[in-house]
Amino acid sequence: MDEKLTDEAVRLAYKFFLGRAAENDEMLRFALAYGTVGKLRDAFLNSREFEHILNLKPRLVPAGARPMPVESQTDDAGVRAMLAELRATWDRVPPPGWDGARQAADVMACLDRNGLARPREAFELGCGAGRVTRHLAALAPLLTACDASPVQLTAAQNIPGITLRVADDATFGMSEPFDLFYSYHALHYGPPPLAARALARAFAMLRPGGAAVFQLVTYGMGYSYAAAEAHRPRHPDPYEERQVLPQPVVFGLARDAGCDVVEAFDDASVAPSALWRSSIFVLRKPAT
């Protein structure tokens, strides 16, 4: 691995790691400056472009992975404390810049694929700056978007035709029934008991005939959570925080609320795939 780099080795590295040629001769010279094969290999393996390629691959969590000890219950006081912690964290984080058009389109595709009705009234939990919200608003006549951070919500205030709410208690802003519940990259930022209570509330407020489409992290290699750890140190970058709510807990919550699980499939948006499993759920509450 300490072999000296050559021009040919650099060109091959681009093809093998990134599946493409170098952008130009300047980038080739930059790569050559790493000096050895080992150093260039490390640079490619740790690049954002290579991480994106890995994210497109199927989940690699093995079928024989061990069960996780995860406590998923808390009371109303616990909910308020956890939401306050989330608010303090996300009030100081700049809103993300990516666009949520694809996520909104995926929601409607999930509904259409499973023969579920398009919503009249929808609720989005963890909307943040409204990156998906602005596209959902064009698909649901009535949309309520909620987040624990008032600062994040300020970036969504210019979206016409929606209602914004702050999640600060055990209702999570869900005060009226709705036809669609949606959440993406929000539930895994809070502790498992918080996610469980949020889902229980959402399933209870879902109208008969309505649907829920949401994402959360459902497995983490070596992950565990106990109530005593509620205030353990969080990841310095909130966007990299990954808490887990196991699939059996989600299925149990759905069963208790009288909801059917229509689909549950892996989502490639949380890396590295060998350590974490992110899942998309599609639920339906049968019409009475």
Side-chain angles (χ1 to χ4, degrees), residues 235-278:
H235 195 288
D237 180 358
Y239 287 108
E240 295 298 321
E241 181 75 19
R242 290 165 190 167
Q243 304 275 8
V244 175
L245 191 67
Q247 287 191 4
V249 177
V250 180
F251 295 149
L253 291 169
R255 182 185 61 249
D256 292 346
C259 294
D260 298 327
V261 179
V262 179
E263 281 191 295
F265 54 91
D266 287 345
D267 159 58
S269 67
V270 176
S273 59
L275 298 177
W276 304 92
R277 171 175 287 134
S278 175

Side-chain angles (χ1 to χ4, degrees), residues 28-229:
L28 283 174
R29 290 192 294 271
F30 178 83
L32 275 168
Y34 280 99
T36 68
V37 171
K39 289 181 179 179
L40 182 62
R41 176 179 180 272
D42 288 341
F44 274 114
L45 290 177
N46 288 285
S47 69
R48 289 187 177 275
E49 185 173 351
F50 187 74
E51 181 180 4
H52 175 69
I53 292 171
L54 286 180
N55 286 351
L56 299 178
K57 303 299 180 184
R59 301 290 85 183
L60 298 178
V61 175
R66 295 182 177 181
M68 299 168 296
V70 175
E71 294 184 17
S72 58
Q73 296 184 347
T74 188
D75 57 16
D76 288 359
V79 168
R80 290 192 295 272
M82 293 173 188
L83 286 173
E85 185 177 357
L86 278 181
R87 173 176 179 170
T89 297
W90 288 95
D91 274 354
R92 65 172 185 268
V93 176
W98 58 271
D99 183 76
R102 182 181 64 80
Q103 284 74 24
D106 286 348
V107 174
M108 296 303 137
C110 284
L111 297 179
D112 292 344
R113 179 171 62 251
N114 292 290
L116 303 174
R118 291 293 183 96
R120 172 174 168 74
E121 296 183 45
F123 186 95
E124 181 186 4
L125 180 67
C127 66
R131 56 195 183 278
V132 182
T133 313
R134 64 185 66 255
H135 300 286
L136 284 178
L139 303 172
L142 299 173
L143 174 62
T144 299
C146 186
D147 198 90
S149 167
V151 173
Q152 294 286 323
L153 284 173
T154 58
Q157 288 179 348
N158 63 341
I159 303 174
I162 68 169
T163 300
L164 294 177
R165 291 179 183 163
V166 176
D168 55 9
D169 61 27
T171 68
F172 297 89
M174 295 179 250
S175 54
E176 301 91 19
F178 39 76
D179 307 309
L180 172 69
F181 170 77
Y182 174 72
S183 184
Y184 182 79
H185 276 216
L187 290 166
H188 67 244
Y189 292 140
L194 189 66
R197 286 292 300 269
L199 289 177
R201 178 67 179 179
F203 300 163
M205 298 302 291
L206 195 61
R207 285 196 181 99
V213 181
F214 56 95
Q215 172 274 339
L216 57 112
V217 176
T218 54
Y219 194 88
M221 200 69 73
Y223 179 89
S224 65
Y225 181 87
E229 304 176 59

